[in-house]
Structures are given as C-alpha cells and as structure tokens.
Amino acid sequence: MGRFELPPAYGEDGFEGEGSFLQSLRADIEDWTRGRWWAVRLPLLLYLAWGLQAHLKDPYYGTLLFSGVTLAIHEIGHVIFGFLPMFFAIAGGTFLQLAAPVATAAIFLRQRDYFGVTVAGFWLSFSLFNVATYAEDAKFRDLPLVSLGSGEIIHDWNYMLTSLGMLESHLAVASFVRFLAGTIGFASLASGVWLCWRMYRGGRSSQ
C-alpha cells in the first residue's frame, strides 16, 4: 500500500508550487467535491446535526446510528486490554471507543472521502459525550452498567478517578470532556455544511 499524499495546490494560472499543507488539503477537497451529489449526503448531515443538539441538551441521549456500536467497541476494549494491569484493562474500554472513530476518520482520509471524515468526527463527538456522562457519574454510580463477563461490574470512571486520586474532580473532568465533544461536533457540522455547499456550487457551475 502506498503512502497517502495530497496533491500540490493549483490556482487559476496553473501550478503554484507545493504551498502549505492546508492550501493543498483545501485544493484537494474542492477538487473532490466537484461532481458529487450533495442531496444524498444532506439527510445524513441533518440527522447528525439533530443528534449533536440532542447530546447537548440531554446527557443520556444516544444516537441510533452510533450508540450500540460504541457500547460494543467499549466492551471489546476491556477484553483486548484485559491482559494488562487492572487500571489499563479498565481504561481500555474508553480508549477503544475513542480510537475507533479516529481510526475510521484516518481510513476515510486515506481514501479521500472527506464527507466520511466528517461523519467519523460526529461519531468521535458523540462518543466523547458518552464518556463525559460516564465520568460525571463516577462518584454516585447511578448509571445502569453492562459487562461481557460475569462477576462484579466495575464502574470504569469511579475506578480510574479513584486510582488517580481525582474522584472529587469528576465534574471538572466531565465538563472538559463535554466541552471537547461539543467543539469536535460543531467543527464536524461546519465541515459537513461546507462540503455540501461546495458540492452544490460545483454542480451548478458544471451545468
């Protein structure tokens, strides 16, 4: 497999040199949007935008598109990292549920599917909202929990924050993660809107 390389930027007068990374990336994205159908992608973008505002309003909200997959990946993370010391085995669930959308975004980027990168960004945002809710519950442990194995179910964030001596900071940790989730969500939304706009403009200019 070859390396992913962005093409050099082009302007109205042709080749302009290598330019900056961001210039090259924007030029490649604008080229990618030409001839693609925005109307097919807009319903998914609207659904994801609706999911973003629902997460902002309700910490217990779970999107139909990602919630089940995220939970399954989280539990698999405990299994994959189960051979490590206890702390890392427990943290492995959160790590994998965040690593999965990041890896998905990287795959889409390698394939030059920029709208796919945006969708993966929403997935990461929603997964972070889930993590924030879990961390916020660390002290009181009111959330219903599931486990792939038998025996006592451990509250991941209660265990991790207690181990780090940060249990009393659970609200601060949750607030930071929720801020990060919202930032990534709005960035993904802005990216998706811009991509659809570029597709729309590209379609009109070709008519």
Side-chain angles (χ1 to χ4, degrees), residues 68-82 89 92-93 96 134 144-156:
V69 174
T70 300
L71 177 60
I73 291 174
H74 178 99
E75 295 303 320
I76 291 171
H78 291 311
V79 176
I80 292 176
F81 297 101
L96 195 63
Y134 205 177
L145 303 178
V146 298
S147 175
L148 292 179
S150 58
E152 181 184 358
I153 298 178
I154 297 175
H155 191 296
D156 295 3

Side-chain angles (χ1 to χ4, degrees), residues 15-183:
F15 181 66
E16 293 184 347
E18 293 297 329
S20 70
F21 171 79
L22 291 179
Q23 289 173 333
S24 297
L25 178 61
R26 175 163 181 162
D28 191 55
I29 292 173
E30 291 179 350
D31 178 68
W32 179 83
T33 58
R34 293 190 186 98
R36 297 185 186 274
W37 196 13
W38 61 273
V40 174
R41 296 168 174 83
L42 185 59
L44 176 58
L45 181 61
L46 292 175
Y47 169 74
L48 293 171
W50 181 82
L52 175 60
Q53 65 83 29
H55 273 289
L56 290 168
K57 291 167 56 177
D58 181 5
Y60 300 103
Y61 175 76
T63 55
L64 177 65
L65 189 59
F66 295 123
S67 293
V69 174
T70 300
L71 177 60
I73 291 174
H74 178 99
E75 295 303 320
I76 291 171
H78 291 311
V79 176
I80 292 176
F81 297 101
F83 68 96
L84 295 175
M86 186 72 167
F87 181 89
F88 297 103
I90 290 177
T94 298
F95 172 78
L96 195 63
Q97 83 170 71
L98 298 178
V102 172
T104 301
I107 292 170
F108 279 128
L109 182 62
R110 185 179 180 83
Q111 296 175 346
R112 294 181 67 245
D113 184 344
Y114 294 110
F115 192 81
V117 174
T118 294
V119 174
F122 275 106
W123 184 12
L124 177 60
S125 170
F126 297 167
S127 188
L128 282 165
F129 277 117
N130 174 266
V131 170
T133 299
Y134 205 177
E136 188 174 25
D137 186 62
K139 185 174 183 179
F140 301 105
R141 292 179 285 179
D142 292 328
L143 288 175
L145 303 178
V146 298
S147 175
L148 292 179
S150 58
E152 181 184 358
I153 298 178
I154 297 175
H155 191 296
D156 295 3
W157 280 92
N158 175 274
Y159 181 91
M160 290 189 291
L161 292 179
T162 299
S163 299
L164 295 171
M166 296 177 59
L167 184 59
E168 295 302 321
S169 301
H170 66 111
L171 293 179
V173 172
S175 295
F176 173 76
V177 176
R178 189 166 285 119
F179 170 78
L180 187 61
T183 301

